[in-house]
Amino acid sequence: MPDGAPGASPATSAGAAEVEAAVHFVLDGAPATARPGELLISAAERVGTFIPRFCYHPRMKPVGMCRMCLVEVSGPRGATLQPACYVPVAEGMEVVTDSAKVKKAQDGVLEFLLVNHPLDCPVCDKGGECPLQDQTLAYGPGESRFVEEKRHFAKPIPISELVLLDRERCIQCARCTRFAEEVAGEAQIDFAGRGDQVEVAVFPSQPFSSYFSGNTVQICPVGALTATPYRFAARPWDLDQVESTCTTCSVGCRVAVQSSANRLTRILGIDSDPVNHGWLCDKGRFVFESVNGTEGAEPGDPGGQGRLLEPMVRRDGVLQPVSWAEALAAAAAGIGAARDAGGPEAVGVLGGARSTNEGAYAWARVAKGVIGTDSVDAQLGDGLPADLVLSLPRATIDDACAADVVVVLAGDLREELPVLYLRLREAVREGGVQLVELAPRATPLTPDATVSIPVRPGEAPVVVRALAGEPGAVGELALHPEGLTASEERLAAARDLLGAGGARVVVVVGRPSLAEHPGIPAEAARLLAERWPEARFLPALRRGNVMGALDMGLAPGLLPGRVTSSAGADWFAERWGSVPAAPGLDATGILASLAGEGEAAHQVKALVLLGSDPLVDFPDRQLAERAFGVADFVVAVAGHLTESVRRADVVLPAAVAHERPGTTTNIEGRVTRLGQKLVAPGHAWPDWTIAVELAAALGVDLGLTSLAQVRSEIARWAPAYRAITQDLVESTHFGEGRVVPLSDTGGSVARVRPTDPIANPGVQSAEQQGAPPRVGLADMAFGVPEHSGDAGGSGAPGDAAAPLPLGGRPVAVAEVHVVPPNSYSLRLASTRRLYDSGSAVASSPSLAPLVGGVVAAANPYDLDRLGVRTGDPVRIRATRATIIVTAKADAGVPRGVVVVEFNLPDGPDGPGGPNVAATLIDAGASVTDVRLESV
């Protein structure tokens, strides 16, 4: 953690204790203080004295290699030169950073570094932002005594598809190799050679395939490592920059977005102490190329992923460009016709997780307040029940990294939420956190887990009951073939770690497999919360702003501000005019209804897509195909031409990431700002604007004419967001965002009690803001009702009773019955990959080649029974389809399970289409059992 990085403010007593424990020293003749154990280089920088460095990085262990940070430190034998990056500050230490001896040492270090370093700054991509260049000018001798010919290497050397190496520029600081080993846990690059021939190299049998390779480029202090998308693309003085938030996944890493001539050129990580520590995954770093795909989309191109530049309406079976007025009128006519024919619930709305919070709110108001439908779902069948997610007591990322025990009941975090994986890995390895993993296959976290319990699809609730010591639960597990269940010893070890009440326990909960009903992991999460009531939960939902979309009400049975429809009906009906009378359908229910299946068969007739692609992303491809085949009317609001957009009747082009301002909410409930860097191409509009104009075309004026008005309405009417005001979001101290809900003092509501007085009179009270009172929000954090008859209180004069948000008490989950497989079948698990066939990767030239083909991973025991080895073709038979893919023996997969990763292209013998796994999965089944056969 960088010294001085912003984070949670300590209590007053803790702050006083820190002052008392401060270490006092003298820096360049002036008194200074440091934290106990703080390194001299960071203590000096915190008080305003920069000590030059190359190898030192605040997020990695010090190594003292480059010696650029030598300073004079007093000792028993007088002042001596010591590396400031390796020496902790001691009481009474005297340090001099600008003496003649220090200057001579700095001159010598720089002179030796430049002996063989090429003077190619005019063509080096690092020119203009190079620490070696800057420090040579600031601290160097000005000239060199070495005039010999410099070394030469062939250049550049690609060490991966994304990273190029210019060997002659390397100064052997080892930042890149240390990051790969220490932080990413993937020691795929190291030094090779001797003497002046030392160079960064990859292993012959192991390429540099890390998901975090772009970080080595960013932290390289010279131009030795460069990123292929940025090489020769621009110079620092050509670039304009804004700070923003990455929405590639739901972690919400802080980033600097740089552009030139209205085209994105680079994304850099910003060191946000509570979130990403400056690191990014390569998908988040390089997916900006998809934003630049402004060449336009051709509806007739089956593989095209270009940007949508203008509205389109289907005429004579072909999507044709039209004006916005025509497109909105056509969309309103189609939606109105469906509503007139079947009522408000005849319209289903899918998506919204790619929107800003403001866009999600506007669409929630259009769907539930204007159209009147509650069949709205920002999750495409790959998440968890929204009411459960919002009702679980929430933990932050820092809470998880500071917990005693972390339970992971989710998919592979390195694939789904890569930077959360880095944070948890560091917490386990360096912070002493104990990790309990419940997973359908081994993950990169498995070697670091204190206890790893294999969980077959469908069995998570049974494993949790066994973990809780419920009589008979272990017996249920023992019914399965030998080797498929967690041993009693592992269960006992995990039970001991969790303790009695779960204090200082954080559960990371998501979808371990898309081939099982979401109610199964949801029931497991509810059981964990019930058995260990003091535990807190960190949702591992992967879509970019899925938490913000759910918070804004883009889910059945919910309204903005984490309020249930039943609790908030009067509150929002008074403000919106009306709200749905009953909970609607989720994504699976919407598509099933369109397809004429289930209890609500044929209820839904029209579909609105908010940046979603159900034909590719929904787990059940066949259900999505049937639904689209019979839908009366489809409206697509999207930024790229996707497979689902090609089936739409009306296409409304939307601005995408970095083209619109707003806010987003990450998995911990942290609201951060999105910076607009580009002007959206063509005639694309921001998502909230499209919602407002569509409402007008439907005959309702929402009264929203600016982003500030939308944000103000959210702050007034959405309980959990009542303090996220326009002034707060635009303030300079909002850089790292705020975890909602906030108290009246601006801090997390979890730090206040309902009976606490308002500590800061400068902040408007809930009643002054016309929003729900603070008492309900405080209860939300603690999950224990501490008020009586005045629960909810009242808002501004004349307002209806304010609703209480969900929180603290997990809602009930419908039980899902799982039938044990027979001895001939295997249970299908479908997990995610970072690089998949989604539109973002497919439209990024640097990332698209990294998408791997699909394989069937199974335990060697199960493959040996068939006489199959890795690389052999195998046939997978399900009730829905039969596919042929390549087999892979994986000892990390439990016996009786076959893993087919989701949303990957098929091989040459596959059935065709971009998502093989989705052809096997039945969204209506609790689990998917398959047969594995040799070919």
Side-chain angles (χ1 to χ4, degrees), residues 387-405:
D387 50 355
L388 172 74
V389 172
L390 299 185
S391 67
L392 291 169
R394 189 76 61 87
T396 66
I397 296 174
D398 276 348
D399 289 339
C401 294
D404 290 341
V405 181

Side-chain angles (χ1 to χ4, degrees), residues 596-622:
E597 302 171 9
E599 296 180 1
H602 302 298
Q603 173 182 300
V604 179
K605 302 179 183 300
L607 196 59
V608 179
L609 305 179
L610 304 181
S612 63
D613 187 7
L615 288 171
V616 172
D617 291 333
F618 185 70
D620 187 340
R621 168 80 182 205
Q622 295 193 28

